[in-house]
Amino acid sequence: MVQAFRIENEGLINRDKKLSFKFNGKTYIGYEGDTLASALLANGVHLVGRSFKYHRPRGFFGAGVDEPYAVVQLYRNGETEPNIKATEQELFEGLEAKSVNCWPSVNFDIGAINNFLKIFLPAGFYYKTFMWPKSFWYRIYEPFIRKAAGLGVASTKHDKERYEHKYEYCDLLIAGSGPSGLAGAYAAAKNGAKVILAEDKPRFGGSLLTSDVNIGNQSGKDWAEGIIAELKTMPNVVVKNRSQIFGYYDHNMLVMSEKVSDHLPSTKKYHPNKRLWYIRAKEVLISSGSIERPIVFGNNDTPGVMLSSAAKEYLKVYGVLVGRKPLVFTNNDSGYETAIEFKKHGVDPVVLDSRKNPESEIIGEAKNLGINIKNSYVVVAAQGYKKVKSADIASISDDKKQLGKIENIQCDCICVSGFWTPTIHLASQSGNKTKFKEEIDAFVPGQSKQNEITLGAANGVFTLEETLKTSFKAGSELSKKLTEKDNEIAIPNVVEKKSSQHDKFWCVPLPKGKNYKRFLDFQNDVAVSDIEIALREGYRSIEHVKRYTTLGMATDQGKTSNLNGLQLVSEIENKVVPAVGHTTFRPPYTPISIGAIVGREVGKHSKPTRKSPMHSWHEKNNAVFVDAGVWLRPRYYKRGNENLFEGSKREAKNVRTNVGVCDVTTLGKIDIKGPDAAELLNRVYTNAWLKLPVGKARYGVMLREDGIVMDDGTTTRISENHYHMTTTTAQAANVLSHLEYYLQLVWPELNVNVVSTTEQWAGAAIAGPKSRDLLQKLFPNSDVSNEGLPFMGYTEEDLFGVKARIFRISFSGELAYEVNVESDYGNFMWEKIMDVGEEFKIQPYGTEALSTLRIEMGHVAGSELDGRTIPYDNALEGLVSKKKDFIGKRSLQRSAFTAEDRQRVVGVVPLDKQTSIPEGSHLVKDDKAPIPNPKLGHISASCWSVEYDNPFSLAILKDGKNMIGQKLFAMSPLKNKIIPVEIVSSHYVDPKGERVRS
Amino acid sequence: MLYINCPHCGMRSQNEFSYGGDASVKRPELNKEVSDQEWNNFVYNRKSLRGKHLELWQHISGCRQWIKVERDTATHEIFRTFKADEEVA
């Protein structure tokens, strides 16, 4: 395949390595070191997409991150990714890409009919048109707009790529490796500072790669190479290419996305696709350079119209001619640099300069080379549909209002330069108050808020000599502060051509009788006329104009359009640009893969997984696990083809008739020690704690200061000044923080220490009528009789040589014990319990059976202690001390909390004794009442009572105390169920609590 | 992400801490009669200050100490940090 537009002896590509790739199904050849854009241009392909709104043909406009058009769908290694800029995507063997936003193909796009209907698609069209009827939005308008719009399609497959996060600290972070970044990095590195130098492109050097300058008797490019090579050898320097710093956050935290593998056909084993760096920098040097701005003229979106700097970059870096008959349209000297490069490679450009009589070294060189220059001339409109074929040009009056006679000249590309816009995004994100600099018609950073400094072109400095001088100085001074070293660096001699003042000219007037579209924002199809409409319709704030017209929105975030938009608004409004102001720059500077943001925290890694020491036993015994917070707990142990309902019923029944064992390791455990421990408990819990004897446990409820129940659990007095507190699994961390809060801030005079011991103890609950017999066999030498170890008793015994704590406490409502051993012995304990328990028909039970047991006993748990209930609501008011004060007590006097008809926990049984009531169902008096049907309460927990073999639920019901015996309806619109129910006591089984004491 | 100087551990990133609200709130003493107004002020009523704000943070993934942080709610600037028992002048 011929690369017709590739020239010899120029560019930084590797001509020894040919790469084949596909674009829109057609195969092309490029070289290693190409971007997709440069390789396509080398093959003469200019048409790459269709515009967002009018589906006009689009080509390449830039050569990097500023590209508004050439957004493609990429296919790599069986994956696809949308929203890839062809100007940034490096070529690799086998790359495949497709145009987006066109159907059926980029050459023939049906949506282009919008182009001819454009009179009907002005700014705000969507807002105005799709407002009504409301019902049309979801069914008709939105699907239609979605199909027509968009920049590619996200993959719906699982992303096989790996993304990493990395945290880094440094003295000096430098964003951009142009002359300013290199000088700053070098000076700081020489002073021993820890430096990170980040470059978004594959090659370091920035503008030095394309500009005709000399530094210290070598070309700018060679000087840059030398500096980078030296920096790479220094241990205190990290140099990163393909790395975009895209966000500047609080306290000098910057985030950088490193493309580790995007330039390769597939990601190497153990390598991430991208790596996100969170960098905390003491100082930040922003050397992000500048982006050339376009001049606005008719049909300025035609493929072949591009930035003059991009044309130069394609030539100097990639050895690619963007055209053979170039027209350069400029208001400053940069256009001449591009023209000179064309001329040097045997191509004759024509230069149109809007200035009347400019003179400078650069212009002088152009003239000497014999380049055709037309002063006071402008491009009025590009001609050609899928590619520039010619240009309508005209002379322009000194006041830039009158056009001369229109002439047409043949050309195949128009390279446009409207001067330079400093890239101030990072500085602005840092909180820097930007200011407008008249001399360059652009905003530059002003007063710093964080430790950041912007230098070089990003600061509006466009001469190399000054850039190098200020950057060496800044690098040296910033590092000196941090390292206290001051190694003098000789600033090299600079040879550069002097340029003349640019022309404050940015938009070509329309010739009489012509109504060319003059685009400001190329990505969103925002034309001059759209801004005019917005202003006519009363939008004044630039933020409103942006949102109404979409100027500066979408993936390029207006990198090439913002300033021209501001110029237009200020001109119409008759204001100066700084009075109009600019829209807020927000991170990210350029689109970042969601995968990179998520990092490794996907799937199972989205949160930590906690497992009890008995986990492997559960696995081996067919446990079906359930997430309990971050814990994995057995939900039931599957036997044969049992489902959850059958399995949990079997397990619960076995607890009621024989004995079961449940892994309760996940319960929160807090070790409390100190002479004032009892006093702390007395203040934290609602009931009295001062007189709890050693060797006894007590159930307690703790409140928040607003009177709402925070948590419940048992606490045991291990010895005089030593307590063992248990919390619910869910609240363990919060309760610890709660205790620490009161001990450290409110009552620091209490001499108590608290520490989490959740992971130090493994716990097994042994429950059922045969649990004592089992316990006696586990601890043959201990007295575990009802007298020796009474209800709520505690003892420390020896379990086959292992120290064990035995608590006689019960959540199931049966005679029950909890045995704790140090975690490492958890599995040993469990296996002993199962071995010895075999003769008592022991079965392990999971959380589902555990719930069943507690629900039919009327024991409240998380579903009732839901952050909305007080002790009374849970029938726990008997535990609220009237004598002493405690956390949250005063709140219980609130009138709503003392109301006669206050909500309260009740039991609920379906009248048919068959239909299970969905949790969350509402209880209502009349199932036929009009919606919204007044809600009396809700079902908090449901189970199948194994005691009575019918469904049973708990509910929080208004005036629950007086509702026992009432008939209501449980309604679940979600499950489409209306169930007649009877309200009963929440203590459905063993209401007197005899079993636990037996 | 904020960078907080824990008085016990030094400079640490915000993700090691959890926020604990206004540090100037004083809990009424135990067993003391308090009016509804006083109690409501303690439990519910907070000023949403713009500017310098003394607030509590707990270094939960570090030393677990509650600390006081003087922070500007508009700019996120942190001026000073204190141990729990340090008086703020």
Side-chain angles (χ1 to χ4, degrees), chain A residues 475-495:
Chain A
S476 161
E477 278 174 5
L478 290 173
S479 55
K480 195 164 77 182
K481 269 198 316 200
L482 301 167
T483 64
E484 288 168 5
K485 282 186 198 151
D486 193 4
N487 295 320
E488 194 97 356
I489 289 166
I491 298 175
N493 268 335
V494 171
V495 181

Side-chain angles (χ1 to χ4, degrees), chain A residues 169 250-251 253 280 449 683 705-706 736-737 740-741 744-747 885-887 890-891 894, chain B residues 1-3 13 27 30-31 34-36 39 42-44 56 58 60 64-66 75-76 78 84:
Chain A
Y169 296 82
D250 289 309
H251 296 186
M253 159 74 83
R280 187 81 69 176
K449 197 187 114 186
R683 295 177 185 188
E705 289 287 16
D706 63 1
L736 183 66
S737 275
E740 286 165 337
Y741 173 88
Q744 292 172 25
L745 290 159
V746 185
W747 304 311
D885 200 359
F886 55 84
I887 291 168
R890 178 65 178 78
S891 288
R894 292 176 60 189
Chain B
M1 205 182 323
L2 306 185
Y3 207 27
S13 260
R27 191 193 192 280
L30 286 168
N31 300 307
V34 272
S35 68
D36 284 352
W39 186 255
F42 160 62
V43 178
Y44 298 107
L56 294 170
Q58 190 186 14
I60 48 163
R64 294 211 57 93
Q65 294 301 300
W66 285 88
T75 65
H76 288 324
I78 291 176

Side-chain angles (χ1 to χ4, degrees), chain A residues 745, chain B residues 5 7 23 26 54-57 66-70 80-88:
Chain A
L745 290 159
Chain B
N5 187 11
K26 282 259 179 298
L54 191 69
E55 55 202 16
L56 294 170
W57 290 76
W66 285 88
I67 62 169
K68 297 174 195 168
V69 175
E70 193 178 53
R80 297 179 295 175
T81 55
F82 306 88
K83 293 178 183 171
D85 57 359
E86 260 182 283
E87 279 306 312
V88 178

